[in-house]
């Protein structure tokens, strides 16, 4: 029935499967929602969307697909989506209209004629949500006014207390800020970073393992045999390299949020700062940039079980990466890419997080170079990108 | 048997549809939303509206799926065995029923609330897939199969601390409780404080939404905090005039402790109030 709707949802990345689709059909058969567009919208949303991040995308697709409401005659690609809603509309009308009104309908040329006109009106209406005198309070001059048709809410029939619905619900796009492609906040970052949690039992065995004790005691024919295990701890270790200054100034807030979230999430988190590209030394405190730590020392200190996260916009002159002496701050004996490769060789689980939007990456030469160096493990600093990055760190 | 909100709970249209779909198709309903928007209360209200008993299973970080089905109390049995108790011969004496079992065997189908499922281990929801789907499970110790007499209404809440597995999500209906708009909020408050003076309500709501809009708050106050605050205002008998006056001598709004739960937020709020006062001079 709604095959196109289903596929378009999948296309925009709402993970619906056949199972959800069947659930929706089943629910419709069971008559769960009232026969109106809004009820259908709510039902479809509850059945097909399983994560608030996808709600906004769902709304958009819903709006796009069911615009077909307008193309009642089924021209163009309107076949599927036009068919159903017309049916729905008819049902509502049948339920609501009085006998007298039904006769009026007949006078106007019958149902089909009415539906056609209605469809035209709807098509017109789509363009201007604010509405106008044509649609509301016509006092019986328009065929639709007579039946209390409220075009803005796509609502046929009277319904108390709904006057606030100025625009179709799905067109209001209330869930926009929950979409993970867009916004980032400390809490969201934390949720994303939590992907990286990996609990393991490390340290001294000091917690009673009840199940183990029971098992051991049972197999000991009842002689108590206490078993102890170490406590579970989050064992992930993270090295965070942050680009500061220059073009990164625009992204300071984002990086601060990422940093504060990361610090709360990981017990083993070491952070270092660099400017544009990592060279022979980095620093830990931005106020005392003079106190440098040789990068070699960092390389020696932290074992291969650390996961490397580099945050930077990778926007610089290509010379800063590929040439000795290319740094804007000092004379570097070895080019930045040598240092980058050393870092990547020391810690094989590595990602580069880039706060600039992904669509801009290809326009910057240096971004392309860095991306190649990190073997395409560069992710945008959005929730969704962070999520992918954390997955890459877990498996890669 | 449709759910339409109760006299103590305002259910929006979309919530109603989701709840009724879950009841009609006997699938679990997964509810998410900002803390304090009434996720847990929803289950209680559904139970009340349908006239069914409510069973609550609170999930903690150490909760395992098995505990919801049953637990085999080996330690008691061991002790009884060593004391020579007769009960020891029947292993069924040491099977402790979990919440799911209780819900399955109940006389009339209850409403089962699985609260804060995201607190548990990441594998937890997966371990319950079959049990929630088919509403039956097998007890290894006694070799019996427990089957639900009637399928209970299952409500699951999550605070988004962990992602839930896809396979689990596919089996649920989903509803995200959005933060109520001012109009809905007015109805919610009216349900809780029917005798509240109109002016006071309007002023309090205005200030509440103002506070929520302050950028950079760590924890934005939600419905439950608003209700607490209004309760306090009533107890202290704060008049609408005092509320509105915003006495320049006093920097913050009365009883703000009910709304802001974090000292940084309070400081931020005081600073803003201070700036506002300076500007007004």
């Amino acid at each position: 029935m709604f095959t196109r709707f289903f596929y378009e949802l999948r296309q925009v990345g709402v993970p619906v499967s056949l199972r959800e689709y069947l659930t929706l059909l089943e629910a419709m058969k069971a008559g769960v929602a009232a026969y109106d567009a809004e009820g259908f919208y709510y039902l479809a949303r509850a059945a097909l969307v399983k994560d608030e991040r996808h709600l906004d995308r769902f709304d958009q697709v819903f709006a796009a697909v069911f615009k077909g409401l307008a193309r009642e005659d089924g021209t163009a690609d309107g076949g599927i989506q036009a068919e159903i809603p017309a049916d729905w509309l008819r049902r509502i009308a049948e339920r609501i209209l009085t006998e007298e009104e039904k006769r009026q309908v007949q006078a106007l040329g019958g149902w089909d004629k009415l539906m056609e006109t209605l469809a035209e009106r709807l098509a017109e209406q789509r363009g201007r949500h604010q509405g106008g005198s044509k649609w509301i309070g016509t006092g019986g001059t328009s065929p639709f006014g007579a039946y209390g048709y409220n075009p803005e809410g796509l609502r046929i029939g009277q319904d108390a207390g709904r006057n606030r619905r100025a625009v179709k619900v799905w067109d209001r796009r209330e869930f926009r800020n929950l979409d993970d492609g867009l916004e980032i906040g400390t809490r969201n970052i934390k949720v994303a970073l939590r992907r990286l949690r990996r609990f393991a039992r490390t340290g001294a065995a000091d917690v009673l393992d009840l199940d183990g004790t029971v098992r051991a005691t049972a197999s000991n024919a009842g002689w108590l045999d206490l078993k102890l295990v170490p406590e579970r701890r989050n064992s992930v270790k993270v090295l965070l390299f942050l680009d500061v200054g220059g073009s990164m100034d625009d992204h300071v807030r984002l990086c601060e949020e990422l940093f504060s979230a990361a610090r709360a999430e990981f017990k083993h988190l070491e952070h270092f700062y660099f400017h544009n590209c990592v060279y022979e030394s980095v620093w830990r405190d931005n106020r005392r940039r003079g106190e440098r730590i040789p990068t070699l020392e960092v390389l020696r200190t932290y074992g291969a079980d650390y996961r490397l996260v580099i945050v930077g916009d990778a926007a610089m002159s290509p010379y800063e990466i590929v040439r000795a002496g290319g740094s804007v701050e000092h004379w570097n004996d070895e080019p930045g890419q040598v240092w980058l490769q050393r870092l990547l060789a020391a810690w094989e689980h590595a990602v580069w997080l880039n706060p600039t939007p992904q669509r801009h990456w290809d326009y910057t030469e240096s971004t392309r170079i860095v991306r190649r160096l990190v073997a395409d493990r560069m992710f945008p600093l959005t929730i969704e990108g962070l999520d992918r990055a954390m997955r890459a760190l877990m498996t890669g | 048997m449709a759910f339409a909100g109760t006299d103590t709970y305002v259910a929006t249209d979309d919530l109603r549809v989701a709840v009724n779909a879950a009841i009609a198709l006997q699938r679990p309903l997964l509810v998410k939303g900002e803390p304090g928007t009434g996720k847990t209360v929803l289950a209680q209200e559904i139970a009340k509206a349908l006239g069914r008993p409510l069973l609550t299973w609170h999930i903690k970080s150490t909760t395992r799926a098995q505990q919801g089905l049953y637990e085999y109390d080996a330690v008691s049995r061991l002790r009884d065995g060593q004391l020579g108790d007769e009960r020891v011969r029947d292993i069924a004496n040491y099977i402790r029923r979990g919440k799911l079992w209780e819900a399955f065997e109940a006389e009339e189908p209850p409403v089962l609330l699985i609260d804060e499922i995201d607190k548990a281990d990441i594998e937890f929801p997966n371990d319950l897939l079959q049990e929630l789907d088919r509403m039956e499970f097998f007890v290894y110790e006694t070799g019996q199969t427990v089957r639900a007499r009637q399928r209970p209404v299952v409500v699951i809440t999550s605070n988004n601390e962990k992602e839930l597995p896809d396979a689990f999500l596919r089996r649920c209906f989903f509803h995200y409780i959005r933060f109520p708009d001012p109009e809905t909020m007015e109805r919610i408050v009216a349900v809780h404080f029917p005798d509240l003076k109109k002016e006071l309500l309007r002023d309090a709501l205005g200030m509440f939404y103002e506070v929520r809009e302050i950028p950079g708050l760590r924890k934005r106050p939600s419905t439950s905090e608003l209700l607490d605050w209004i309760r306090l205002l009533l107890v202290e008998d704060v008049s609408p005039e005092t509320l509105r006056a915003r006495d320049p001598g006093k920097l913050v709004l009365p009883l703000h402790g009910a709304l802001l739960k974090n000292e940084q937020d309070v400081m931020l709020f005081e600073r803003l109030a201070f700036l506002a006062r300076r500007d007004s001079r």
Side-chain angles (χ1 to χ4, degrees), chain A residues 48-198:
Chain A
L48 299 177
V49 185
K50 296 301 160 68
D51 198 316
E52 65 274 19
R53 286 175 304 186
H54 301 138
L55 286 174
D56 185 43
R57 278 178 245 174
F58 175 84
D59 284 359
Q60 289 178 52
V61 172
F62 193 92
V65 170
F66 291 98
K67 190 171 58 182
L69 223 45
R71 279 184 238 111
E72 146 77 349
D73 52 354
T75 50
D77 55 2
I80 295 158
Q81 72 272 28
E83 197 178 317
I84 314 304
D87 201 31
W88 281 64
L89 293 178
R90 190 172 310 215
R91 274 184 159 134
I92 312 159
E94 270 168 8
R95 229 177 21 164
I96 283 166
L97 297 190
T98 64
E99 280 308 311
E100 192 193 344
E101 281 166 334
K102 278 180 186 162
R103 274 199 299 281
Q104 285 178 347
V105 168
Q106 290 306 324
L108 279 167
W111 282 113
D112 291 339
K113 178 73 181 140
L114 181 71
M115 285 302 147
E116 220 170 276
T117 327
L118 176 58
E120 276 166 29
R121 287 285 159 91
L122 279 171
E124 253 178 89
Q125 171 60 18
R126 277 281 311 174
R128 32 190 155 110
H129 291 312
Q130 299 315 311
S133 56
K134 186 177 179 188
W135 305 102
I136 305 166
T138 45
T141 49
S142 141
F144 302 109
Y147 317 119
Y149 167 57
N150 169 0
E152 301 256 319
L154 229 189
R155 191 174 275 282
I156 298 202
Q158 67 284 20
D159 199 339
R162 303 251 177 235
N163 40 10
R164 69 199 160 98
R165 301 218 181 278
V167 186
K168 292 180 200 114
V169 250
W170 49 89
D171 271 343
R172 280 190 277 166
R173 299 198 46 201
E174 284 161 335
F175 301 100
R176 188 183 313 205
N177 52 8
L178 296 171
D179 195 322
D180 59 353
L182 303 173
E183 218 183 311
I184 198 159
T186 333
R187 166 148 186 87
N188 294 341
I189 300 176
K190 280 187 184 173
V191 175
L193 287 177
R194 254 168 226 176
R195 268 204 184 284
L196 203 53
R197 278 189 189 177
R198 181 174 281 176

Side-chain angles (χ1 to χ4, degrees), chain B residues 25 42 45 68 86 116 146 162 181 184 196 208 213 237:
Chain B
L25 299 196
L42 174 66
E45 296 296 333
E86 267 310 301
E116 313 203 358
V146 177
K162 292 192 192 77
D181 52 22
T184 314
L196 194 65
F208 170 73
E213 291 309 312
D237 208 12

Side-chain angles (χ1 to χ4, degrees), chain B residues 3-53:
Chain B
F3 174 72
T6 61
D7 47 350
T8 49
Y9 192 84
V10 176
T12 49
D13 285 353
D14 47 347
L15 176 61
R16 266 206 305 268
V17 169
V19 170
N20 286 326
I23 295 175
L25 299 196
Q26 306 185 321
R27 305 267 161 83
L29 174 67
L30 173 65
V31 186
K32 285 202 219 170
E34 264 181 59
T37 42
K39 295 189 291 290
T40 308
V41 182
L42 174 66
Q44 296 164 355
E45 296 296 333
I46 293 178
K48 208 163 98 186
L50 302 182
R52 307 256 194 91

Side-chain angles (χ1 to χ4, degrees), chain B residues 3-281:
Chain B
F3 174 72
T6 61
D7 47 350
T8 49
Y9 192 84
V10 176
T12 49
D13 285 353
D14 47 347
L15 176 61
R16 266 206 305 268
V17 169
V19 170
N20 286 326
I23 295 175
L25 299 196
Q26 306 185 321
R27 305 267 161 83
L29 174 67
L30 173 65
V31 186
K32 285 202 219 170
E34 264 181 59
T37 42
K39 295 189 291 290
T40 308
V41 182
L42 174 66
Q44 296 164 355
E45 296 296 333
I46 293 178
K48 208 163 98 186
L50 302 182
R52 307 256 194 91
L54 173 74
L55 286 173
T56 311
W57 185 16
H58 290 290
I59 307 298
K60 294 186 280 183
S61 64
T62 49
T63 308
R64 283 173 300 115
Q66 185 67 32
Q67 293 170 338
L69 310 179
Y70 67 93
E71 279 182 294
Y72 169 41
D73 190 356
V75 177
S76 298
R77 193 176 192 210
L78 182 62
R79 189 199 55 215
D80 285 356
Q82 289 178 333
L83 296 175
D85 195 314
E86 267 310 301
R87 280 164 24 102
V88 79
R89 299 199 185 282
D90 186 4
I91 196 164
N93 288 329
Y94 301 93
I95 303 286
R96 295 229 179 115
R97 295 172 177 206
K99 292 282 181 196
L100 237 61
W101 191 333
E102 273 179 43
F104 286 1
E105 300 252 291
E107 283 296 324
E108 55 177 330
V111 175
L112 174 65
L113 167 66
I114 304 183
D115 206 8
E116 313 203 358
I117 196 168
D118 54 326
K119 295 277 179 294
D121 190 79
I122 217 153
E123 287 303 323
F124 179 89
N126 276 336
D127 295 345
L128 284 180
L129 279 185
Q130 286 306 317
E131 285 72 10
L132 286 179
D133 217 20
R134 288 210 227 126
M135 297 278 176
E136 64 175 42
F137 60 91
F138 184 70
V139 186
Y140 293 96
E141 280 77 1
T142 56
Q144 76 181 115
T145 305
V146 177
R147 218 170 260 125
R149 296 176 170 196
Q150 293 134 317
R151 293 168 74 97
V153 177
V154 182
V155 178
I156 301 167
T157 72
S158 163
N159 273 326
N160 240 357
E161 296 213 352
K162 292 192 192 77
E163 299 242 339
L164 300 171
D166 282 350
F168 179 78
L169 292 175
R170 293 202 193 299
R171 287 166 165 82
C172 307
F173 278 99
F174 171 70
H175 182 73
Y176 182 81
I177 300 191
R178 202 158 36 84
F179 194 80
D181 52 22
E183 198 183 308
T184 314
M185 189 57 105
E186 230 169 86
R187 280 164 59 208
I188 295 176
V189 175
V191 152
H192 288 262
F193 304 101
D195 321 318
L196 194 65
K197 273 172 259 147
K198 267 260 167 340
E199 293 169 73
L200 183 68
L201 172 62
R202 209 181 39 237
D203 291 343
L205 274 184
M207 283 179 191
F208 170 73
Y209 276 96
E210 231 169 78
V211 170
R212 261 185 72 86
E213 291 309 312
I214 296 178
L217 277 191
R218 304 244 158 165
K219 160 85 178 73
R220 294 197 293 169
S222 62
T223 317
S224 65
E225 274 116 17
L226 172 69
L227 294 179
D228 285 349
W229 185 53
I230 291 181
R231 193 166 294 135
L232 272 179
L233 289 178
L234 286 180
V235 169
E236 295 280 317
D237 208 12
V238 178
S239 67
E241 290 75 41
T242 354
L243 197 57
R244 209 178 312 140
R246 295 272 196 123
D247 179 9
K250 270 200 306 196
L251 283 181
V252 285
L253 93 205
L255 307 162
H256 62 274
L259 289 178
L260 301 169
K261 299 291 174 64
N262 179 313
E263 71 277 11
Q264 277 127 321
D265 285 352
V266 175
M267 269 167 61
L268 178 75
F269 187 72
E270 283 173 351
R271 212 163 53 225
L272 285 174
F274 175 72
L275 289 178
R277 190 173 63 137
R278 204 182 50 184
D279 288 348
S280 67
R281 275 187 183 167

Side-chain angles (χ1 to χ4, degrees), chain A residues 233-298:
Chain A
R233 290 193 180 89
N234 188 358
S235 63
V236 167
K237 304 171 178 177
V238 176
L239 279 180
L240 189 61
F241 280 77
L242 294 155
D243 183 358
V244 286
S247 50
M248 281 296 284
D249 285 348
D250 304 341
H251 312 295
V252 165
R253 226 196 95 230
L254 203 56
C255 292
E256 265 179 4
E257 285 187 345
L258 174 73
F259 183 67
S260 69
R263 204 153 54 180
E265 261 340 281
F266 304 113
K267 216 165 187 175
H268 305 276
L269 174 78
E270 303 292 339
H271 67 276
F272 300 97
Y273 296 104
F274 63 94
H275 186 200
N276 279 358
C277 190
V278 184
Y279 299 110
E280 61 280 345
S281 69
V282 287
W283 63 97
R284 263 178 187 275
D285 190 333
N286 267 321
R287 271 164 300 180
R288 289 171 295 167
R289 261 174 93 152
E291 296 172 21
R292 299 269 177 155
I293 305 163
T295 309
L296 271 178
E297 191 182 308
V298 179

